Amino acid sequence: MQTYTLSNGVKIPAIGMGTWPLKGNLLKETMKHAIKIGYRMFDTADNYDNESDIGEIIASKIVPREELFITTKISDEKNNNCPWSSTGKYFYKSSPYMKEHSVREVVEMLVNKSLRSLKTDYIDCLIIHWPYPDYLLEIWDSMCILYKAGKFRSIGVSNCRERHLEKIINNSSIAPMVNQVSISPLDTRETLLKYNKEHNIQTMCYAPLMQRNNNTLRQADIIKQIMDKYNITIEQLLLVWNVNQGIIPIPKSTSEQRLKSNFNIFNIRFTKQEIINISKLNQDLQYLPESKYCPGL
């Protein structure tokens, strides 16, 4: 398994498996297949409602706990009518709940709940799911305290733009070690990617295959040429485009064959010019919703 080294020296696998919206036996069987293939990083969140299923796999000790890299996120309470929206119970100053509880109490409560569900005494990487504007620094400070106490091996953020990262970096002694965002040839996020590299923040790409059926992508001559040259699928092309740039993709599939195909990409190296040519397809096409507080939405 190829790995990268985070800013604090922790090794992180160069590819992971996403788990949303998988649950129950389907998720557990998929994880078993993935582990057999070689996957060691699994990405979840407290509002995916599947941490307990992942916890059963961890507790089963198919592989030793220390071989796994578990990433989870702390989030506001989920609105069941919309998987990426929330109720506003946590991390909003307008919430009655937050008038009675400190940010640190809420963060500790959410973390302890995740640890119980995951059946583990530590998390490999804890991430803020959204850059909650009312309490971003308070959430980060609370995470730093728990990180120093050994609850996590690393900490990071998700859906954060440069201005969010700048705010944290300028007001904390610990910078984010990971920034999990959506990146694709149709939305290359080059400025953000450059910022992450300059500040030693590992970029992680969620839903890296989401745009594989986009006609603009599929019909592009450069895509067809590279697929033919390397005899690869469009899914593999997208993943190689990520890893060749030092980005960690976290694709999801329930197919054992697709899991293998997604995993077996590390012997493929595009030329620098091929990566540039693929990136020229950029349209700043934001395919997935991010925080409504992010600019440009």
Side-chain angles (χ1 to χ4, degrees):
M1 165 60 73
Q2 182 175 322
T3 62
Y4 298 115
T5 302
L6 299 179
S7 60
N8 67 343
V10 167
K11 300 287 186 181
I12 183 172
I15 191 170
M17 191 191 95
T19 64
W20 187 84
L22 305 179
K23 298 179 185 179
N25 287 333
L26 178 59
L27 172 57
K28 287 183 279 188
E29 289 303 311
T30 300
M31 284 188 66
K32 289 176 185 177
H33 291 316
I35 290 171
K36 183 179 179 181
I37 290 166
Y39 289 86
R40 291 297 181 267
M41 179 164 65
F42 296 91
D43 179 76
T44 184
D46 56 5
N47 65 359
Y48 289 0
D49 296 331
N50 63 12
E51 286 182 323
S52 59
D53 299 314
I54 295 172
E56 289 188 30
I57 296 298
I58 293 173
S60 70
K61 297 182 180 179
I62 297 174
V63 291
R65 170 65 183 93
E66 58 270 19
E67 286 192 21
L68 296 174
F69 195 101
I70 304 298
T71 298
T72 193
K73 311 173 191 73
I74 53 173
S75 322
D76 183 26
E77 189 175 74
K78 183 177 70 174
N79 181 343
N80 290 325
N81 294 323
C82 184
W84 51 76
S85 68
S86 54
T87 64
K89 180 177 180 179
Y90 308 132
F91 307 139
Y92 292 89
K93 289 183 177 178
S94 59
S95 165
Y97 188 88
M98 295 305 297
K99 297 186 189 314
E100 298 179 2
H101 299 84
S102 69
V103 172
R104 183 172 176 182
E105 287 174 337
V106 174
V107 170
E108 288 186 353
M109 179 268 292
L110 294 174
V111 167
N112 288 332
K113 183 179 178 182
S114 289
L115 287 168
R116 288 193 300 271
S117 296
L118 291 166
K119 297 178 177 60
T120 184
D121 56 4
Y122 69 93
I123 293 165
D124 295 281
C125 186
L126 183 79
I127 290 174
I128 303 175
H129 210 156
W130 311 102
Y132 299 105
D134 289 352
Y135 296 110
L136 179 59
L137 290 179
E138 291 90 337
I139 296 170
W140 185 255
D141 287 344
S142 299
M143 289 172 58
C144 288
I145 291 170
L146 295 175
Y147 165 69
K148 291 175 181 177
K151 294 286 187 180
F152 331 120
R153 297 178 64 222
S154 59
I155 51 179
V157 297
S158 184
N159 300 302
C160 278
R161 306 288 179 91
E162 294 93 317
R163 66 182 179 90
H164 303 115
L165 297 167
E166 197 78 7
K167 186 174 183 179
I168 293 173
I169 290 170
N170 289 340
N171 291 278
S172 176
S173 61
I174 301 177
M177 300 158 194
V178 167
N179 186 16
Q180 189 181 114
V181 293
S182 174
I183 295 177
S184 83
L186 299 180
D187 188 18
T188 56
R189 312 290 288 276
E190 290 181 5
T191 303
L192 177 61
L193 185 57
K194 180 180 178 183
Y195 183 95
N196 287 346
K197 288 181 178 178
E198 288 175 348
H199 292 83
N200 204 11
I201 300 170
Q202 175 64 55
T203 304
M204 188 180 291
C205 176
Y206 63 77
L209 306 180
M210 185 65 75
Q211 294 182 349
R212 66 187 183 276
N213 293 321
N214 185 289
N215 285 335
T216 300
L217 194 67
R218 279 191 171 274
Q219 295 174 7
D221 288 339
I222 185 62
I223 298 298
K224 295 176 182 177
Q225 291 168 9
I226 293 177
M227 287 172 61
D228 288 342
K229 175 181 176 180
Y230 294 95
N231 191 27
I232 56 176
T233 65
I234 193 165
E235 290 84 3
Q236 289 176 315
L237 181 147
L238 291 169
L239 296 175
V240 173
W241 178 82
N242 272 275
V243 300
N244 282 182
Q245 297 182 86
I247 301 168
I248 298 175
I250 43 175
K252 179 208 71 184
S253 178
T254 57
S255 162
E256 187 172 1
Q257 182 178 353
R258 182 65 60 77
L259 286 168
K260 288 179 181 178
S261 176
N262 290 346
F263 190 81
N264 294 326
I265 57 170
F266 292 98
N267 61 338
I268 304 169
R269 296 290 302 180
F270 295 160
T271 67
K272 184 176 180 180
Q273 189 59 50
E274 285 170 340
I275 294 172
I276 291 172
N277 290 341
I278 294 171
S279 299
K280 286 180 180 178
L281 297 173
N282 179 53
Q283 301 176 346
D284 294 330
L285 177 62
Q286 190 165 352
Y287 201 72
L288 291 171
E290 293 178 347
S291 169
K292 64 181 180 180
Y293 297 97
C294 289
L297 301 179

